[in-house]
Amino acid sequence: QVQLVESGGGLVQAGGSLRLSCAASGSIFRVNTMGWYRQAPGKQRELVATISFGSNTNYAADSVKGRFTISRDNAKNTVYLQMNSLKPEDTGVYYCNLVSSMSYWGQGTQVTVSS
């Protein structure tokens, strides 16, 4: 069983910053990728950013490029999402995802950006 614990969400004004963390624990044989998705009220869950644990390959959605940075700590099986220049449209529940032999999800952390 794999557990993902997210932290770092909260309320911030537009233009502000937040840093999300996601720590994975449990029976993890090998992590392929970890990443962040978000879901705004009334909308589908969308991919924000991912990072490969093997090749250090990153991906970021166009809507967050230049503002959000994903990074990882392999030894801790932890992924971070540094979010700068936040906009009200970044508001939503942010979910951590880990892909190994299966895909796992965290419980989500709320990010609210006020205008």
Side-chain angles (χ1 to χ4, degrees):
Q1 192 73 359
V2 174
Q3 295 81 38
L4 301 178
V5 178
E6 300 135 328
S7 61
L11 172 64
V12 65
Q13 288 188 333
S17 298
L18 286 173
R19 188 188 192 218
L20 305 183
S21 299
C22 174
S25 62
S27 302
I28 304 171
F29 174 63
R30 183 182 68 183
V31 178
N32 292 327
T33 63
M34 289 186 74
W36 293 93
Y37 290 69
R38 67 186 180 189
Q39 187 166 18
K43 295 188 177 181
Q44 290 188 332
R45 191 174 297 189
E46 64 175 357
L47 174 62
V48 176
T50 62
I51 186 167
S52 168
F53 272 51
S55 64
N56 200 30
T57 302
N58 294 3
Y59 168 84
D62 287 342
S63 59
V64 305
K65 281 181 180 177
R67 301 187 298 121
F68 292 10
T69 302
I70 190 168
S71 60
R72 73 182 195 277
D73 183 330
N74 286 31
K76 297 180 179 180
N77 282 333
T78 298
V79 65
Y80 307 95
L81 185 68
Q82 179 65 44
M83 305 186 293
N84 299 328
S85 301
L86 282 160
K87 305 175 181 180
E89 51 263 44
D90 294 318
T91 294
V93 179
Y94 282 68
Y95 295 92
C96 179
N97 174 252
L98 181 152
V99 177
S100 57
S101 59
M102 294 178 61
S103 180
Y104 301 91
W105 293 91
Q107 292 297 309
T109 185
Q110 177 70 43
V111 172
T112 302
V113 184
S114 63
S115 57

